[in-house]
Amino acid sequence: MKSLLTWGKIQASNVDKVILISQFEQKANHQNHLFGLFWEFLSPAIQIIIYYLVFGIRLNGQTIIHSDIPYIYWMLIGIIPWFYISSSIVAGAGSISRNLSLISKTHFPIEILPTIAIVKGLNSFFAMLGLFLILFVSQGFLPTLEWLQVFYYFPCMVLFLLALAVLTSAITVVFRDLQLIINAAMRLLFFISGAVVNVTAHPESLLTKVLSLNPLVYIIEGFRDAFLSRGWFFDDPWRAVYFFSFLLIVLLTGIYITEKYQSDFVEYI
């Protein structure tokens, strides 16, 4: 627990540095592009338009789930968090290994590298979410009280991604193959995390119960519970207990590995 408190203090004391570096990396990624940072908004817009044309117009927005909500909106609510989740998992895993030269030459706080990787993708997430909400509301789906749950599920998503990044980034330094394994695993996670497939359609089946153990399902289905007004997060408190227990175990394991092998990281440059 002492390690967790120390880690938390380092994060809190370096908030400004995390934001500044995240913004710098975003600008660096687009400095050679004609539209620059506008791609942070243009790329999500293109993706949403493509999905809308394919599933909303070409398939007539048909309802292929057991709900009055057209599949296109059901899918977009899940796939928008997924885009951010998948990119953050990949970026988080390589956050330390990509910056080993920086660590070896300066007294840079290694603990904030995974945080930077998670924060720098938020602009794209907010852009996609904002575009979706404009489309969603324009179709007559007006806000309800359940929408306030976004302020619960969004921190859940960020905290889980941060915990996972702390763990995977430390392991990747020593075991570089983990980055490739994660890249490959994202293809499978795309389908079993509920982004485009309703993995909770049959709650009594064993397969559904197994898939529900995936913390990403809790997050993605949580966004749907909020925007589709399907219920409140406290209706099933045991799911929340499981999620935060899983998150805490992952975070504590990542902090432990980072602390134990931090002095040896520079040997893997």
Side-chain angles (χ1 to χ4, degrees):
M1 189 59 68
K2 182 179 178 181
S3 297
L4 179 61
L5 292 174
T6 302
W7 178 85
K9 290 179 181 178
I10 294 173
Q11 302 299 319
S13 61
N14 288 279
V15 170
D16 293 343
K17 187 176 294 185
V18 169
I19 294 174
L20 286 173
I21 296 177
S22 298
Q23 293 175 342
F24 174 79
E25 290 191 358
Q26 285 179 326
K27 292 179 180 178
N29 290 337
H30 298 290
Q31 64 179 352
N32 294 322
H33 300 152
L34 178 62
F35 294 112
L37 285 175
F38 184 63
W39 277 107
E40 293 288 331
F41 303 93
L42 184 59
S43 181
I46 292 173
Q47 294 180 70
I48 288 180
I49 290 171
I50 290 173
Y51 279 104
Y52 182 75
L53 291 175
V54 173
F55 294 99
I57 297 179
R58 182 65 182 88
L59 298 180
N60 300 318
Q62 62 186 29
T63 301
I64 61 175
I65 56 175
H66 300 296
S67 170
D68 294 330
I69 303 295
Y71 175 74
I72 174 63
Y73 302 118
W74 180 91
M75 182 200 65
L76 285 175
I77 294 172
I79 209 168
I80 288 173
W82 170 257
F83 281 142
Y84 171 65
I85 288 170
S86 60
S87 63
S88 295
I89 290 176
V90 173
S95 59
I96 294 180
S97 59
R98 288 195 306 268
N99 294 282
L100 286 177
S101 58
L102 173 65
I103 298 169
S104 64
K105 297 175 182 178
T106 66
H107 294 290
F108 190 86
I110 192 174
E111 293 85 356
I112 68 171
L113 288 174
T115 311
I116 293 171
I118 303 304
V119 170
K120 70 179 183 180
L122 286 175
N123 279 349
S124 181
F125 170 74
F126 288 137
M128 286 191 290
L129 184 62
L131 289 170
F132 164 75
L133 290 178
I134 292 173
L135 174 64
F136 197 50
V137 172
S138 69
Q139 297 301 308
F141 298 97
L142 300 179
T144 63
L145 281 176
E146 284 91 339
W147 283 32
L148 293 174
Q149 293 178 99
V150 171
F151 296 105
Y152 166 76
Y153 286 109
F154 174 73
C156 285
M157 176 177 66
V158 173
L159 287 174
F160 178 75
L161 292 175
L162 180 55
L164 194 61
V166 172
L167 175 62
T168 56
S169 62
I171 297 176
T172 302
V173 175
V174 181
F175 181 58
R176 295 298 177 91
D177 288 12
L178 179 61
Q179 186 77 61
L180 299 177
I181 293 173
I182 289 175
N183 290 340
M186 298 314 297
R187 300 184 182 94
L188 175 61
L189 282 173
F190 178 67
F191 293 101
I192 66 174
S193 295
V196 294
V197 178
N198 189 3
V199 297
T200 62
H202 306 286
E204 300 303 320
S205 72
L206 178 61
L207 179 60
T208 297
K209 293 178 180 178
V210 172
L211 292 177
S212 295
L213 295 176
N214 179 357
L216 298 182
V217 172
Y218 179 75
I219 295 169
I220 291 175
E221 289 301 313
F223 275 93
R224 290 193 174 112
D225 287 342
F227 289 120
L228 300 182
S229 304
R230 302 190 309 189
W232 294 91
F233 66 89
F234 48 74
D235 290 338
D236 190 355
W238 289 111
R239 290 183 63 201
V241 171
Y242 168 77
F243 174 81
F244 283 106
S245 298
F246 190 95
L247 185 156
L248 187 60
I249 291 172
V250 171
L251 180 58
L252 289 175
T253 304
I255 292 173
Y256 171 78
I257 294 175
T258 302
E259 286 184 345
K260 185 173 182 178
Y261 297 101
Q262 180 172 346
S263 59
D264 300 324
F265 283 169
V266 294
E267 297 179 7
Y268 295 90
I269 297 177

